[in-house]
């Protein structure tokens, strides 16, 4: 009973933290959708409104998925399965390349050969990628590169941009006080990664800051009998 009570307490604490962090993710998505619609309204002569409505609906669908994923992750519901990293990065590129291109920036995705197998929650992996790319889009400069590579039999995913860098003394993963939104997404990303048994850290601060995510390896197959 004590163990059950402790697990329930941890789950409640995690849900509260995720609720605060998820609200930031949703506000960011809502602000982006609002900007897209306002941009269309400002065009003269008016353009086809159906294209803007279609884009807005896609953004709303993505927000719904975000809510469902984060609730499942907060409640320890998702299953850990083999991760198709190539597919995950391709989907992330589809979500972000247009936004970066609109700002005159390029999103480059590199998947090296012979990657080590990795396991985890697909929902968590998708959210982590979104946070890291969104951080580079909002606070970085120039080209954004997402690279999957072998880091000594462990899958590593690097997300870097061409900005000047991060302050040496700044803990970018620290939870901010209420009202301070900058960095909240990174707090959420690290929580998701650590809950999966992985690591997320700043591998290079300056120049061209880089975040590295180490994904838990797949368990080796047992001996044949």
């Amino acid at each position: 009973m004590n163990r059950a009570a402790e697990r329930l307490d941890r789950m409640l604490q995690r849900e509260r933290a995720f609720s605060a962090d998820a609200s930031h993710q949703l506000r960011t998505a809502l602000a982006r959708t609002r900007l897209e619609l306002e941009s269309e309204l400002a065009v003269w002569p008016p353009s086809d409104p159906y294209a803007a409505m279609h884009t807005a609906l896609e953004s709303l669908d993505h927000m719904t998925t975000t809510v469902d994923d984060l609730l499942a992750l907060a409640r320890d519901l998702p299953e850990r399965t083999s991760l198709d990293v190539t597919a995950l990065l391709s989907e992330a590129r589809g979500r972000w390349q247009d936004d970066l291109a609109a700002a005159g920036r390029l999103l480059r995705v590199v998947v090296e050969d012979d990657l080590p197998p990795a396991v985890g929650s697909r929902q968590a992996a998708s959210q982590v990628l979104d946070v890291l790319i969104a951080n580079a889009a909002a606070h970085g400069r120039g080209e954004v590169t997402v690279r999957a590579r072998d880091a000594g039999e462990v899958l590593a995913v690097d997300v870097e941009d061409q900005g000047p860098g991060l302050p040496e003394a700044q803990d970018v993963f620290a939870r901010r006080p209420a009202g301070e939104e900058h960095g909240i997404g990174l707090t959420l990303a690290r929580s998701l990664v650590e809950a999966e048994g992985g690591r997320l850290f700043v591998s290079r601060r300056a120049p061209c800051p880089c975040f590295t995510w180490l994904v838990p390896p797949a368990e080796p197959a047992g001996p044949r009998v």
Side-chain angles (χ1 to χ4, degrees), residues 26 42 72 114 136 144 146 164:
L26 294 175
D114 300 322
V144 177
V146 182

Side-chain angles (χ1 to χ4, degrees), residues 121-134:
S121 159
R122 184 178 179 83
Q123 295 107 312
S126 179
Q127 294 297 328
V128 170
L129 285 171
D130 276 355
V131 167
L132 295 177
I133 297 173

Side-chain angles (χ1 to χ4, degrees), residues 20-32:
D21 295 342
S23 66
H24 167 75
Q25 296 298 97
L26 294 175
R27 283 195 297 271
T28 300
L30 285 169
R32 187 168 63 186

Side-chain angles (χ1 to χ4, degrees), residues 13-31 62-75 127-128 130-131 175 180-181 183-192:
Q13 290 179 10
R14 189 178 175 193
E15 282 202 44
R16 293 190 191 102
F18 272 36
S19 296
D21 295 342
S23 66
H24 167 75
Q25 296 298 97
L26 294 175
R27 283 195 297 271
T28 300
L30 285 169
H62 181 58
M63 279 183 264
T64 301
T65 301
T66 297
V67 172
D68 292 342
D69 287 352
L70 290 175
L71 284 174
L73 292 165
R75 295 167 180 167
Q127 294 297 328
V128 170
D130 276 355
V131 167
R175 187 173 297 280
E180 291 187 26
E181 295 188 0
I184 290 179
L186 292 174
T187 304
L188 171 62
R190 174 171 271 187
S191 297
L192 292 172

Side-chain angles (χ1 to χ4, degrees), residues 135-225:
N135 181 72
H139 306 295
R141 297 178 187 172
E143 182 177 286
V144 177
T145 301
V146 182
R147 177 180 288 102
R149 58 183 175 85
D150 184 343
E153 299 183 356
V154 175
L155 174 66
V157 178
D158 301 317
V159 179
E160 63 181 89
D161 63 75
Q162 297 175 325
L166 304 169
E168 285 295 332
Q170 182 184 17
D171 181 1
V172 295
F173 298 105
R175 187 173 297 280
R176 302 294 192 266
E180 291 187 26
E181 295 188 0
H182 179 72
I184 290 179
L186 292 174
T187 304
L188 171 62
R190 174 171 271 187
S191 297
L192 292 172
V193 168
E194 291 181 346
E196 294 285 299
R199 288 183 60 207
L200 177 62
F201 56 94
V202 179
S203 52
R204 183 175 61 246
R205 283 187 172 267
C208 301
C210 180
F211 289 82
T212 296
W213 168 27
L214 299 181
V215 188
E219 294 182 3
R224 294 185 178 180
V225 294

Side-chain angles (χ1 to χ4, degrees), residues 9-66:
D9 182 62
R10 286 196 302 270
M11 185 179 72
L12 290 174
Q13 290 179 10
R14 189 178 175 193
E15 282 202 44
R16 293 190 191 102
F18 272 36
S19 296
D21 295 342
S23 66
H24 167 75
Q25 296 298 97
L26 294 175
R27 283 195 297 271
T28 300
L30 285 169
R32 187 168 63 186
T33 302
R34 182 184 181 89
L35 181 62
E36 290 169 350
L37 292 174
E38 288 177 343
S39 298
E40 289 296 323
L41 289 174
V43 172
W44 188 261
S47 59
D48 181 6
Y50 291 100
M53 287 188 285
H54 181 70
T55 301
L57 286 172
E58 287 181 343
S59 298
L60 291 173
D61 287 342
H62 181 58
M63 279 183 264
T64 301
T65 301
T66 297

